[in-house]
Amino acid sequence: MAFRQALQLAACGLAGGSAAVLFSAVAVGKPRGGGDADTRATEPSTWTGVSRPGPSVWDSNWDRREPLSLINLKKRNVESGEEELASRLDHYKAKATRHIFLIRHSQYHVDGSLEKDRTLTPLGREQAELTGLRLASLGLKFNKIVHSSMTRAVETTDIISKHLPGVSRVSTDLLREGAPIEPDPPVSHWKPEAVQYYEDGARIEAAFRNYIHRADAKQEEDSYEIFICHANVIRYIVCRALQFPPEGWLRLSLNNGSITHLVIRPNGRVALRTLGDTGFMPPDKITRS
């Protein structure tokens, strides 16, 4: 009941399309607090030093796009048997690899009273230029740029886009900054209200489910996609994509303007090529604010 109320809270701030995706999201990670929390026993995480019984298992259907899970086996023609099954599996099987580039926005004025006042600093604009140059130098045919609707992400996108002419861009509320899930271990310097985890967590999980998955079966060529957003969102997405405990997101650190590169293979395997790369920036241009 508590989580259903949380989804309703989170949906209130989103447009229709985003809200539809939001309602498909469910809580991830271990439950916090009492009340209506899931009472199933939680397996101890290997991150705590306590081994789980048996070998660790990769969930090959993590994005719910494993071909076999998309087929209704009850409707299979008994006479055609395995031949028909193989044909139907091939119909749903991904063929292309998705390259996901997660870019953290550049340095911004943190003292702005309103969100619209939190614009990029002069150094932040320099950082965005350097990130744009780096992406352009990779020589890749980028398919699109999806960016958070927050001011600092929009301004970072404006600058990066100049170095990638012709690449379409789309704004979304799903990638806005927030508190994805209560971190473990907890920290003393950052303690959002519990309701913020409920509101932001469902939305950020919805962003993960909407954008991070293997390629559609109709996609013939590998894709290169840029997502310009925020540190908390990126760190949570990385943990979820690698099937690490999502509560560990705050153990990662990302510089402004950094590049994180995820690869999603047709079989659903995920690899992290780079995490928070800013090696292309001079040392005096690197910040984490």
Side-chain angles (χ1 to χ4, degrees):
M1 185 64 184
F3 185 68
R4 190 177 300 112
Q5 292 172 342
L7 285 179
Q8 291 170 350
L9 280 171
C12 289
L14 297 175
S18 297
V21 176
L22 175 67
F23 274 88
S24 70
V26 297
V28 176
K30 62 186 180 183
R32 299 280 176 171
D36 299 325
D38 192 342
T39 56
R40 291 174 297 176
T42 304
E43 288 185 324
S45 168
T46 54
W47 286 27
T48 64
V50 180
S51 299
R52 297 184 180 184
S56 178
V57 178
W58 172 265
D59 178 10
S60 60
N61 194 31
W62 60 274
D63 58 352
R64 300 302 181 265
R65 292 179 181 233
E66 184 70 20
L68 192 59
S69 72
L70 301 174
I71 295 175
N72 186 347
L73 295 176
K74 293 180 180 179
K75 293 184 178 181
R76 184 173 55 169
N77 188 323
V78 178
E79 294 181 5
S80 54
E82 296 302 321
E83 203 171 300
E84 181 203 9
L85 179 59
S87 174
R88 292 171 67 185
L89 284 173
D90 189 62
H91 174 74
Y92 289 108
K93 193 174 294 182
K95 307 172 188 67
T97 295
R98 293 183 68 207
H99 292 264
I100 307 294
F101 292 83
L102 300 161
I103 314 298
R104 188 191 174 197
H105 61 79
S106 303
Q107 185 190 67
Y108 68 104
H109 294 285
V110 297
D111 55 352
S113 57
L114 300 175
E115 194 279 318
K116 66 182 181 66
D117 299 323
R118 294 166 195 160
T119 56
L120 298 186
T121 65
L123 174 56
R125 302 188 71 82
E126 288 185 62
Q127 291 170 339
E129 292 282 359
L130 292 167
T131 303
L133 287 168
R134 172 59 177 167
L135 291 170
S137 73
L138 297 177
L140 301 173
K141 185 180 178 181
F142 289 105
N143 300 78
K144 63 180 178 180
I145 298 174
V146 181
H147 64 86
S148 158
S149 57
M150 297 186 82
T151 300
R152 54 190 181 271
V154 172
E155 292 190 346
T156 300
T157 303
D158 290 340
I159 296 171
I160 289 177
S161 292
K162 293 189 301 181
H163 299 280
L164 302 170
V167 180
S168 62
R169 49 185 287 186
V170 179
S171 177
T172 177
D173 290 342
L174 289 178
L175 291 174
R176 291 173 73 90
E177 185 62 300
I181 189 171
E182 190 173 348
D184 186 14
V187 293
S188 58
H189 61 277
W190 187 71
K191 288 185 176 297
E193 296 293 329
V195 68
Q196 189 174 347
Y197 288 117
Y198 284 127
E199 292 176 348
D200 296 345
R203 171 179 55 79
I204 296 171
E205 172 64 16
F208 171 78
R209 296 187 182 202
N210 193 46
Y211 296 119
I212 310 300
H213 52 76
R214 74 192 77 186
D216 188 272
K218 297 177 181 178
Q219 182 177 322
E220 298 289 340
E221 298 181 352
D222 294 353
S223 59
Y224 301 86
E225 306 160 46
I226 298 172
F227 294 83
I228 300 176
C229 50
H230 309 271
N232 295 359
V233 177
I234 294 172
R235 292 182 285 186
Y236 177 81
I237 284 176
V238 167
C239 287
R240 286 284 283 114
L242 298 177
Q243 298 188 23
F244 292 163
E247 297 90 350
W249 64 272
L250 199 51
R251 305 173 203 179
L252 308 177
S253 181
L254 298 174
N255 294 332
N256 295 112
S258 62
I259 300 174
T260 295
H261 182 185
L262 281 171
V263 180
I264 307 176
R265 299 294 182 190
N267 62 2
R269 298 288 178 86
V270 181
L272 180 64
R273 289 275 181 89
T274 59
L275 175 68
D277 177 30
T278 49
F280 52 88
M281 292 186 186
D284 62 335
K285 304 295 183 186
I286 296 175
T287 61
R288 277 197 302 274
S289 61

